[in-house]
Amino acid sequence: MANITAAEVNKLRQATGAGMMDCKAALIEAEGDFDKAIEILRKKGQKVAAKRADRDSSEGAVIAKVNADNTKGAIVSLNCETDFVAKNEAFVALAKDLAELALSVNSKEELLASDYKGITVAEKLTEQTGVIGEKIEVGSFEKLDAPFVGSYIHHGNKIASLVGLSASISDAGDVSKNLAMQIAAMGAEVLSNKDFSADYLAKETEARIAIIEKENEELARLGKPLKNVPKYVSYAQLTEEVLKQAEEDAKAELKAEGKPEQIWDKILPGKLQRFISDNTTLDQEKALLDQVYISDESKKVSEYVKSKGVEITGFKRVAL
């Protein structure tokens, strides 16, 4: 049997991240051959990966990276099975390395085939599956290009976001960070209400109305005031005809209330704004530009962006 020194064991441990006893066992099996020991550990990883292929890897670390001139950004989620592993420093460091690599490729497949310290990323993940004993895989992969790209990683590495600006303004760093934080916190799915498909709007309208009607049944049972049931959920549905009818309905209400016509002009704008607010709940939740800006609730995100003289060209968000 080969005489295995502590230095050799430590060298293998540094190269693979495997535990001391696993490294010693691999070196003994390989009769001191360093490269063969690495191969033994990788084969062990393959066996573990095969056994855990059907496991749920819903934990992990989500990392966003931006290149040096802030024109490209990438988000990669490195997934594992438990939060304990997700918080491991070596695991997070690997996730950061992969996000950095992602800046130079265009797809998850390219990332997995990329070189990582002499082996492919895919091989490294298999190796780490053997080392850690959990299913390790790249979950999400997102890229974004723009004249200026900013990023944000929420504390705990569970949510990360990227945002693209139409120009590299003087305070682009702060503006993009503010917007990326908004995206991470509020979970927008599209940039504008114009990006919702007609089919999606129809389904959301039906679902949201059904929820409010169900809530009203319970409120009525309890003798409490009922919630307003909107006809629409997005400004994309508020055609010129719909808004005109809303104005006519508002005038009819004012007339029924006995309000003098000469003061209607002062009251109507508020009623129409209330109608729009009640009938655009989907926009307020899912369309970034229509959301309330969390750092100044007196304005929308669209107003904040306009005040900075830029436009949002796109965004990405990944959450575990």
Side-chain angles (χ1 to χ4, degrees):
M1 184 176 68
N3 182 30
I4 307 302
T5 67
E8 290 172 322
V9 173
N10 188 55
K11 180 182 176 183
L12 183 59
R13 182 172 181 273
Q14 293 298 319
T16 64
M20 296 290 283
M21 295 307 294
D22 286 338
C23 289
K24 184 175 181 179
L27 282 166
I28 291 172
E29 185 179 340
E31 297 181 339
D33 187 315
F34 186 79
D35 292 334
K36 190 175 179 180
I38 289 179
E39 187 60 29
I40 289 169
L41 288 172
R42 284 180 189 151
K43 286 181 178 178
K44 177 189 175 185
Q46 290 170 355
K47 291 178 182 178
V48 175
K51 290 179 180 178
R52 306 190 77 82
D54 60 347
R55 294 297 185 100
D56 182 25
S57 58
S58 58
E59 294 292 341
V62 185
I63 304 296
K65 288 279 187 179
V66 176
N67 66 353
D69 58 3
N70 287 91
T71 57
K72 293 180 184 293
I75 301 178
V76 168
S77 71
L78 183 60
N79 293 18
C80 59
E81 297 177 33
T82 65
D83 189 51
F84 176 77
V85 169
K87 292 177 179 178
N88 180 274
E89 288 184 13
F91 181 87
V92 175
L94 176 58
K96 290 179 178 178
D97 287 347
L98 297 187
E100 190 72 42
L101 273 176
L103 289 169
S104 59
V105 298
N106 297 311
S107 67
K108 180 160 66 171
E109 290 70 28
E110 284 187 37
L111 176 63
L112 292 172
S114 298
D115 177 77
Y116 184 84
K117 301 180 180 179
I119 59 175
T120 67
V121 168
E123 289 171 334
K124 181 64 178 179
L125 297 184
T126 298
E127 175 191 280
Q128 289 303 295
T129 294
V131 169
I132 296 170
E134 288 191 8
K135 181 178 180 179
I136 307 295
E137 63 180 351
V138 172
S140 297
F141 175 98
E142 298 289 351
K143 292 289 296 287
L144 185 67
D145 294 356
F148 190 94
V149 178
S151 66
Y152 173 73
I153 304 173
H154 190 62
H155 180 70
N157 301 319
K158 298 301 183 185
I159 305 173
S161 57
L162 297 169
V163 63
L165 302 182
S166 58
S168 181
I169 55 178
S170 59
D171 57 347
D174 290 337
V175 172
S176 62
K177 183 179 180 181
N178 291 341
L179 292 171
M181 289 176 66
Q182 171 91 25
I183 293 161
M186 302 305 291
E189 294 179 358
V190 297
L191 181 58
S192 162
N193 59 67
K194 296 176 183 178
D195 299 320
F196 293 128
S197 70
D199 183 56
Y200 178 70
L201 286 176
K203 289 178 180 178
E204 278 293 315
T205 302
E206 182 180 357
R208 287 168 183 252
I209 288 175
I211 289 171
I212 295 174
E213 288 177 340
K214 187 69 175 177
E215 291 174 346
N216 279 346
E217 289 179 11
E218 180 65 13
L219 290 172
R221 189 183 69 80
L222 297 173
K224 295 183 178 181
L226 304 184
K227 293 182 178 181
N228 173 62
V229 181
K231 293 181 178 179
Y232 311 99
V233 296
S234 172
Y235 200 88
Q237 297 168 304
L238 304 186
T239 63
E240 187 176 332
E241 291 75 14
V242 169
L243 292 173
K244 185 175 181 180
Q245 184 60 53
E247 183 176 355
E248 292 302 317
D249 292 344
K251 287 179 179 179
E253 286 180 15
L254 292 174
K255 185 175 182 179
E257 292 168 1
K259 296 287 194 301
E261 275 195 50
Q262 57 265 35
I263 67 169
W264 285 8
D265 287 347
K266 295 181 180 179
I267 303 173
L268 279 173
K271 281 187 169 292
L272 288 175
Q273 190 55 50
R274 176 61 185 271
F275 172 82
I276 292 172
S277 179
D278 287 347
N279 288 274
T280 56
T281 54
L282 180 65
D283 300 350
Q284 295 163 33
E285 292 176 23
K286 304 298 184 181
L288 177 60
L289 293 175
D290 294 295
Q291 289 181 342
V292 171
Y293 179 45
I294 56 176
S295 295
D296 182 355
E297 295 185 358
S298 69
K299 61 180 67 174
K300 290 184 177 181
V301 171
S302 58
E303 295 171 313
Y304 169 69
V305 173
K306 186 176 181 180
S307 73
K308 295 298 180 177
V310 291
E311 294 179 357
I312 298 174
T313 62
F315 69 91
K316 302 290 182 182
R317 179 182 186 271
V318 172
L320 288 175

